[in-house]
């Protein structure tokens, strides 16, 4: 069975990043991995809804050799739990200055900005989006973010927008078809 998903060649070319290709992808949480709404309970606990499509996309990135990174301005047990459940190794919570935390993390990973994809929705994400080799935004993002994004997803934030970005990156690096074929045989995409 052949994959049915496709994107314009010029988009895939841009999503390859510079030189050695995209090696890391930074994602915001509120307004990207969630729909941006925050539910607060009586005791001050926050609740967030995450898409399983997005979660699987992040796992696929890791399988393809692209390091998924979470950098969020807020910190909550719900976000920490989601990151842990996905097995993501790199996350920064409560980041007031996302560029200040991203720069040393990327240096630690040995990744330059032209090898980074970033997805965000609001002003705090702009320093990352404007430096990244490939920048994505969900359609509900702020106008200034939409203006700098290389791609605005058709899927909404918290409803597959991050997965769409992941799919583009997987196609651009040539791993989408292989990962898709692996999932036709086994649930986790590994050898049968």
């Amino acid at each position: 069975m052949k994959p049915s998903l496709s994107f314009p060649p010029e988009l895939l070319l841009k999503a390859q990043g510079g030189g050695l290709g995209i090696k890391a992808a930074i994602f915001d949480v509120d307004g990207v991995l969630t729909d941006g709404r925050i539910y607060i309970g009586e005791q001050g606990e926050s609740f967030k809804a995450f898409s399983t499509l997005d979660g699987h996309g992040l796992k696929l990135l890791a399988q393809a050799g692209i390091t998924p990174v979470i950098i969020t301005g807020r910190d909550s047990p719900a976000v920490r739990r989601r990151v842990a459940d996905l097995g993501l190794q790199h996350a920064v919570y409560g980041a007031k200055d996302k560029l200040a935390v991203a720069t040393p993390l990327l240096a630690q990973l040995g990744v330059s900005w032209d090898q980074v994809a970033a997805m965000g929705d609001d002003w705090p994400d702009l320093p990352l989006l404007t430096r990244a080799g490939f920048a994505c935004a969900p359609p509900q993002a702020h106008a200034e973010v939409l203006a700098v994004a290389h791609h605005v997803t058709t899927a909404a934030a918290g409803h597959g927008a991050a997965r769409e970005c992941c799919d583009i990156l997987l196609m651009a690096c040539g791993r989408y078809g292989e990962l898709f074929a692996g999932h036709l045989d086994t649930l986790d995409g590994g050898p049968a």
Side-chain angles (χ1 to χ4, degrees), residues 93-146:
Y93 309 96
K96 301 299 177 215
D97 181 342
K98 293 185 179 188
L99 181 60
V101 298
T103 302
L105 179 56
L106 294 177
Q108 174 190 343
L109 294 172
V111 176
S112 62
W113 279 105
D114 64 341
Q115 298 172 307
V116 173
M119 186 167 192
D121 71 312
D122 208 344
W123 290 10
D125 304 309
L126 285 170
L128 306 180
L129 297 169
T130 57
R131 286 166 176 79
F134 184 66
C136 277
Q140 299 82 6
H142 190 277
E144 302 302 341
V145 171
L146 295 173

Side-chain angles (χ1 to χ4, degrees), residues 71-94:
I71 299 180
T72 178
R74 298 178 58 88
D75 191 0
S76 74
V79 174
R80 287 180 180 264
R81 172 71 184 267
R82 182 65 174 148
V83 168
D85 287 351
L86 293 173
L88 303 180
Q89 301 299 311
H90 303 283
V92 179
Y93 309 96

